[in-house]
Amino acid sequence: MDARFKNFLKIYLDLEQGYDTSGCLRSTLLSFNDSYVELIQTEFEQIISDESFGPAEYEQLTDIGFPDRESLRIYLRAMRDYLFNDAPEQSMPPG
């Protein structure tokens, strides 16, 4: 996993920021240069398909726990769709 993607998760999807679903994350991400946005998108695709990436790894990066791999995958897909596929709302992590 690219260090820049790890930093993105730690900064924008951590315990403090991950529950802020005010709708600013997409515009914040898209304000960066195109190569960074592409990197983030590619890394999202990789962790969604990576069977070795699970709740423990995500929690280590963000301090947000998921009960199982499937709920994490659902969240990551929804977050990807919000950031890159014009989904109307940012996904909320488990509460």
Side-chain angles (χ1 to χ4, degrees):
M1 181 181 303
D2 189 280
R4 293 168 294 177
F5 183 65
K6 286 181 182 180
N7 286 337
F8 177 84
L9 294 177
K10 289 178 182 181
I11 293 168
Y12 296 108
L13 297 178
D14 71 340
L15 187 57
E16 188 175 322
Q17 297 296 318
Y19 291 94
D20 176 5
T21 59
S22 62
C24 297
L25 183 56
R26 183 184 315 165
S27 61
T28 299
L29 175 60
L30 297 179
S31 71
F32 290 102
N33 66 50
D34 290 343
S35 63
Y36 181 76
V37 173
E38 289 173 16
L39 170 92
I40 300 303
Q41 184 172 15
T42 299
E43 291 287 327
F44 259 103
E45 297 298 336
Q46 288 179 356
I47 64 169
I48 289 169
S49 64
D50 183 356
E51 291 299 319
S52 68
F53 186 83
E57 290 76 18
Y58 190 81
E59 186 172 6
Q60 187 175 28
L61 292 168
T62 65
D63 292 324
I64 296 176
F66 281 81
D68 54 54
R69 181 170 278 144
E70 185 56 27
S71 62
L72 174 60
R73 295 279 184 272
I74 290 168
Y75 170 76
L76 292 172
R77 284 186 204 109
M79 186 59 68
R80 175 203 57 200
D81 290 345
Y82 167 73
L83 292 172
F84 305 107
N85 298 327
D86 296 325
E89 295 181 341
Q90 181 176 329
S91 185
M92 176 77 75

